[in-house]
Amino acid sequence: MSGTLKKLWQRIRSLLSSGEFLCDTCKYDWGNVCRRRERPNATQCPDYKRR
Ligand code: SF4
């Protein structure tokens, strides 16, 4: 899947989901601490840590 398509698909999936993203409550969601591509719409993340 091309990068653009992948991004679009992620966006659609995030819109269809309940609007709950792990990043919203993750302690790594500030500055450049997290460089994962899923951010800020991660719904699954092995690095997730609650703030
Ligand atoms: S570690 Fe995962 S959940 Fe936390 S901000 Fe980064 S992508 Fe989001």
Side-chain angles (χ1 to χ4, degrees):
M1 207 184 286
S2 80
T4 309
L5 260 182
K6 206 169 170 183
K7 277 212 171 112
L8 184 62
W9 176 238
Q10 281 175 347
R11 186 78 192 128
I12 290 170
R13 270 198 3 172
S14 70
L15 288 173
L16 292 178
S17 74
S18 64
E20 286 221 351
F21 300 114
L22 293 177
C23 304
D24 293 340
T25 57
C26 180
K27 73 174 185 178
Y28 302 124
D29 187 33
W30 63 278
N32 290 328
V33 176
C34 172
R35 293 178 177 274
R36 297 188 74 90
R37 288 191 307 158
E38 300 94 308
R39 186 180 171 202
N41 298 332
T43 51
Q44 296 185 330
C45 179
D47 292 337
Y48 174 75
K49 286 273 186 305
R50 182 169 272 277
R51 245 182 250 159

